[in-house]
Amino acid sequence: MSQYYLSHLKELESEAIFVIREVVAQFEKPALLFSGGKDSIVLAYLSRKAFYPARIPFPLVHIDTGHNFPETMEYRDWLVNELGVKLIVGSVQESIDKGRAKEETGFNASRNALQTVTLLDTIEQYKFDAAMGGARRDEEKARAKERFFSHRDEFGQWDPKNQRPELWNLFNGRKHQGEHFRVFPISNWTEMDVWQYIQSERIPIPKLYYAHQREVIERDGAILSTSPWLKLKPNEIPSIRTVRFRTCGDMPITGAVESTADTIEKIIEEVAASRKTERGTRADDKRSETAMEDRKKSGYF
Amino acid sequence: MNQLLRFTTAGSVDDGKSTLIGRLLYDSKSIFEDQLEAVEASSAKKGFDYVDLSLLTDGLKSEREQGITIDVAYRYFATPKRKFIIADTPGHIQYTRNMVTGASTANLALILIDARKGLVEQTYRHSFIASLLKIPHVIVCVNKMDLVDYQEEVFEKIVNDYKAFSSKLEIHDIQFVPISALAGDNVVNRSEKMDWYQGATLLHMLETVHIESDHNHIDSRFAVQYVVRPQTQSHQDFRGYAGRISGGIFRAGDEILVLPSGFTSKIKSIQVGEEVIEQAFAPMSVTITLEDEIDISRGDIIAKPNNHPQSEQDVDVMLCWMNQRAVNLNTKFFVRHTTKEVKGVLKEIQYKLDINSLQRLENVDQLTMNDIARVKIRTAQPLAFDSYRKNRITGSIILVDEGTNETVAAGMIV
């Protein structure tokens, strides 16, 4: 009998595919929230596997902050074409122009929190009833309590005390008019699982993740890429360093790490040896101890 | 090939559960520097002169404010041998529903016993739930051995007491280990203070427990989740049945039977994405094509002509009621079973179980939050099910409230 078991990656893959199919079966208008980061890339590839040889039966939705790395945008357009899937873009700039969102000011200004407004507006505009995301429970403590099928009220809010129990493989996607679900098919994956999967499935990823030369500055212990949106303080002098990114958020707030890992194998070695969490490079999570919990409650990814 | 082991822990605030999880994460080097620094800072802020590892599993702001855990939290760690998912649940009586939730997908239950106290009410409750949810393996950790001078007699007495009690339950694989989560004895590293103990450390047990047979590989079951119809030029006639194998083994060429229709056919191919595979077994997600064009839709079960589930409208269930609102006889629900949803009604409550004494209470006509009861449910259409004992996937249901859409109960089919 012993030949009938799966490796941990195959078991996680199988679980994620089951969840993605369940979304398409239970909801009328699902979408995949695509950030251009490795987690949502893996989610897109899992979606292809789930429905092959049919095309992915839902669009990718990109909440565009306007502060993206150019590499992310290039990759996004390539992937959409590769998968033959529809792309919907929700623009944070538009939300700002319409007065729906207010730009932060100051040196550490970020459009991260503003995304919530655009995200909820986009969900409402297209009447999406399920939005899948690549969030993982190992990322952050508020995420550790998240369900696969996460119920959101008509205001898009998350109530951690009022979550539906989730048992076996039985996912309950019933909802009232106006409510929606966030669904996290790779909940049980860790950062390492994602990298190992990218390696074993030979999934192409944006160049940002590989070591490259880049003009950067150092601020509060974080290495930030120079960009039109990063206001430099007088004492901050850019220099060229060999770096890579562990996560792929907005350009002004995503910290790089010094690295020479220019292949997937070397990245995996580096992740295995790393003694810091990947969100440790994210300025948005460092604002307070409960930054993620608070953002999630209000409808963030 | 690294396997995945899912285990559940349950415990109250003071029996050292959080410390144990913290210890497993810390000693297996699954804690990152920034996480550790945060815990060190919190420990110092609370005035502790040691690093309180239990803070590693602290969750939400609302919980920290109240010093409680409100829900199941999931933790992850890996060793070179296995990857682990911990479903960490609080252990008070009012949290039976959380324990049941965490136990539903677990291969193994960790049961913590305070060496000073021996078996307590909570031990019985956790063990009963492990047995009810048919968790295949149990490890009993006799914790706080440092506080009883690492005495062998204390450990032996607890082992004997537990064996006597658990003989009444359905737990087939039980191991015992004396530990101190606080001092780290026998968790990851072997204790130097308990020479008399010849067995494995807790982590070694977790790494080696035999989980290959946890899935049913005998009775072939496949619930159709979604019908894949590309309707493109290159795949005009493709009609694939997507789903996750819930039991047994399916191979190309196998004769199959579809329920509830009773149609038969043969498997033409089995695929995972683009890859065509020879055989599929639980818990693989696959797409199956058949030789014949027959009408199959979501919720149908594919099995074998000589081995298939029973198809009935009256279902006997051990039910765990999980909602604040009590339920009375003749209440209607949506019943979710595999990928099928049908209407159902609570026809009869045969008895309620006192989960501490295992006494049966009869003449009950209402169930409240955290009650466990043997009930009869009548469904509007037949369900093709197995007993939960035979298959945890085709033998389980949830009940969904018609008005609020909440998941209100979990059921194990008898």
Side-chain angles (χ1 to χ4, degrees), chain B residues 14-16 114-116 142-148 179-181:
Chain B
D14 49 3
D15 64 5
D114 186 328
R116 297 168 302 173
V142 180
N143 190 25
K144 305 199 181 180
M145 286 300 292
D146 53 321
L147 299 181
V148 294
I179 64 166
S180 165

Side-chain angles (χ1 to χ4, degrees), chain A residues 218-268:
Chain A
E218 207 165 321
R219 178 183 293 174
D220 304 329
I223 302 172
L224 298 175
S225 179
T226 55
S227 69
W229 311 293
L230 189 74
K231 239 202 240 174
L232 294 184
K233 296 176 185 172
N235 61 338
E236 289 174 334
I237 298 158
S239 62
I240 306 282
R241 291 212 225 162
T242 306
V243 297
R244 64 174 211 90
F245 292 88
R246 278 177 81 183
T247 69
C248 193
D250 261 10
M251 221 172 161
I253 56 163
T254 303
V257 290
E258 299 232 59
S259 168
T260 53
D262 53 6
T263 62
I264 286 283
E265 290 72 24
K266 286 184 194 166
I267 290 174
I268 288 176

Side-chain angles (χ1 to χ4, degrees), chain B residues 319-339:
Chain B
L319 196 74
C320 175
W321 187 254
M322 302 182 138
N323 200 264
Q324 312 247 328
R325 288 206 329 226
V327 62
N328 300 309
L329 282 177
N330 297 318
T331 305
K332 294 192 180 70
F333 312 95
F334 293 111
V335 178
R336 288 199 169 217
H337 171 253
T338 66
T339 53

Side-chain angles (χ1 to χ4, degrees), chain A residues 167-168, chain B residues 92-101 103 122 124-134 169 316-323 326-327 346 348-376 388 399 408-414:
Chain A
L167 299 109
W168 300 288
Chain B
H92 307 283
I93 187 154
Q94 62 267 40
Y95 294 116
T96 297
R97 73 169 217 171
N98 292 341
M99 278 193 278
V100 168
T101 303
Q122 225 180 72
Y124 302 124
R125 195 155 64 231
H126 297 168
S127 304
F128 171 69
I129 287 172
S131 158
L132 182 72
L133 273 289
K134 301 280 181 288
L169 299 174
D316 285 306
V317 176
M318 285 302 288
L319 196 74
C320 175
W321 187 254
M322 302 182 138
N323 200 264
V327 62
L346 181 60
E348 193 182 324
I349 302 173
Q350 285 160 296
Y351 59 84
K352 198 167 100 170
L353 263 186
D354 178 327
I355 65 167
N356 294 315
S357 65
L358 301 186
Q359 296 273 347
R360 294 178 180 187
L361 310 167
E362 292 179 14
N363 302 318
V364 176
D365 51 12
Q366 191 181 59
L367 298 177
T368 57
M369 176 102 143
N370 295 310
D371 276 350
I372 289 172
R374 167 92 182 238
V375 304
K376 278 186 188 295
Y388 186 76
L399 302 184
V408 289
M412 282 69 62
I413 299 173
V414 181

Side-chain angles (χ1 to χ4, degrees), chain A residues 91-103 114 117-118 121:
Chain A
S91 160
V92 173
Q93 186 62 53
E94 260 176 48
S95 301
I96 294 169
D97 296 343
K98 283 190 208 152
R100 296 274 299 133
K102 193 169 180 309
E103 186 102 75
L114 307 189
V117 175
T118 313
D121 284 355

